[in-house]
Amino acid sequence: MDGAKHRIDTSFLTQLDRYALPIRNRVTAVHSGSHISTRKGSGLDLVDHRRYNPGDSLKKIDWNLYARTEKLYIRRFEEDKNLNMVILLDASSSMLFPENDPNKFEYASTIATGIAYIVMRYNDQYMIATFAENVDYTKALKGREEFLRTIDNLSRISVNGKTKLADCADSIYPRIKSKSMVLIVSDFLDNPDSIRYAVHRLRRHELVLIHLYDETEINLPETVGGTVKFIDSETNEEFSISVGPQFKKEYADEYGKHMAELDKIAHDFKIPYFKVSIDNRPIDTVLTIIGER
């Protein structure tokens, strides 16, 4: 898809205006956001509210708000408001699947754009780094003009090469100067050892794994059968395989094992892991990630 423009859906962004990102632990940064304080509390300025998540301190629940809404919300004070967001976006060749719109890269870019939009609205910093065999960095960004420029850059980026998460983690680690929220958006078609290493390398941050897939990657379509030529999207290697019911079952089993490995990695490091079909509406995926679905 070199030279072609990726289609990034921005039609849903304004629907995100009333949402904020949950921060389970304080995430420090070298700047200050511009949230508006509304009252004092515990010696700190109250910035805003977010939905209660299991594990949050009960002391931060706004019981007055609960009495009015019958929903649990956490009070976010000034010490909680600074956020440095890093989004690692897979730009390897396998992300160009499927050939119809949106492919995985376009969907990933749309999700990254939605998260960055929420961060931008609160005048916090974000960085989107695309990776495959190498990492393409941007500086930390703030403001609407930079946000619009980010969308344009993502729509023109070259997508190719293999997924190498371990190398990406080694490359990005020294560039994240302060504790941050780090989202990895990928199809994770990489060796589980490489993925585990990357998670271990970045474990000091508030890490989130977002695993994108197309349904036909898990279950081969009924229309696929007989002698079929497969092309490795990351190496362009071609090979022919006789595809029947037994092959489809073994294929689905192998993909299931890979997803189970990812589940185990997330469990071992106690980090959120979202499995997302690109058939889902982007806004639903964004709201699920931030805990609003």
Side-chain angles (χ1 to χ4, degrees), residues 153-181:
N153 290 340
L154 285 176
S155 72
R156 300 174 186 277
I157 197 168
S158 177
V159 179
N160 54 55
K162 298 180 181 180
T163 305
K164 292 189 176 181
L165 262 172
D167 292 348
C168 168
D170 279 338
S171 181
I172 198 74
Y173 180 83
R175 293 176 178 264
I176 307 177
K177 303 298 184 182
S178 59
K179 189 172 182 181
S180 304
M181 181 179 286

Side-chain angles (χ1 to χ4, degrees), residues 86-90 131 165 182-186 188 198-199 202 207-211:
V86 178
I87 303 175
L88 304 181
L89 189 61
D90 190 343
F131 70 91
L165 262 172
V182 178
L183 274 60
I184 303 179
V185 189
S186 173
F188 290 101
V199 171
L202 299 172
L207 192 59
V208 180
L209 306 183
I210 303 170
H211 178 192

Side-chain angles (χ1 to χ4, degrees), residues 277-291:
S277 167
I278 63 172
D279 288 335
N280 291 345
R281 294 194 313 161
I283 187 170
D284 291 338
T285 297
V286 171
L287 294 180
T288 297
I289 293 167
I290 69 173

Side-chain angles (χ1 to χ4, degrees), residues 14-20 49 51 121-122 292-293:
T14 56
Q15 298 177 55
L16 300 172
D17 283 346
R18 63 193 181 94
Y19 296 103
H49 294 82
R51 289 282 182 87
R121 282 188 55 254
Y122 282 88
E292 295 289 346
R293 279 288 186 272

Side-chain angles (χ1 to χ4, degrees), residues 258-268 273 275:
H258 185 68
M259 294 184 83
E261 286 280 355
L262 294 174
D263 263 322
K264 187 175 188 309
I265 291 170
H267 178 269
D268 290 346
Y273 168 46
K275 294 184 282 285

Side-chain angles (χ1 to χ4, degrees), residues 130-273:
T130 55
F131 70 91
E133 297 176 54
N134 299 300
V135 183
D136 184 17
Y137 304 98
T138 64
K139 64 179 182 179
L141 304 172
K142 289 179 70 175
R144 186 170 295 274
E145 288 187 9
E146 293 281 13
F147 175 73
L148 295 175
R149 192 173 296 116
T150 296
I151 297 174
D152 185 61
N153 290 340
L154 285 176
S155 72
R156 300 174 186 277
I157 197 168
S158 177
V159 179
N160 54 55
K162 298 180 181 180
T163 305
K164 292 189 176 181
L165 262 172
D167 292 348
C168 168
D170 279 338
S171 181
I172 198 74
Y173 180 83
R175 293 176 178 264
I176 307 177
K177 303 298 184 182
S178 59
K179 189 172 182 181
S180 304
M181 181 179 286
V182 178
L183 274 60
I184 303 179
V185 189
S186 173
D187 58 11
F188 290 101
L189 294 181
D190 194 7
N191 186 294
D193 290 339
S194 173
I195 299 170
R196 180 175 289 274
Y197 175 86
V199 171
H200 180 267
R201 187 81 161 108
L202 299 172
R203 69 191 184 282
R204 79 181 185 94
H205 301 289
E206 188 172 340
L207 192 59
V208 180
L209 306 183
I210 303 170
H211 178 192
L212 302 184
Y213 65 89
D214 180 77
E215 295 291 347
T216 59
E217 291 181 299
I218 299 178
N219 298 296
L220 295 177
E222 292 183 4
T223 54
V224 176
T227 301
V228 179
K229 181 173 73 173
F230 288 85
I231 302 175
D232 188 314
S233 60
E234 297 194 349
T235 65
N236 289 321
E237 180 183 359
E238 298 183 10
F239 45 95
S240 296
I241 296 178
S242 179
V243 176
Q246 183 60 30
F247 175 83
K248 289 184 178 182
K249 180 181 182 304
E250 292 174 356
Y251 173 89
D253 288 345
E254 285 300 314
Y255 198 96
K257 288 178 183 178
H258 185 68
M259 294 184 83
E261 286 280 355
L262 294 174
D263 263 322
K264 187 175 188 309
I265 291 170
H267 178 269
D268 290 346
F269 286 93
K270 297 180 174 59
I271 59 175
Y273 168 46

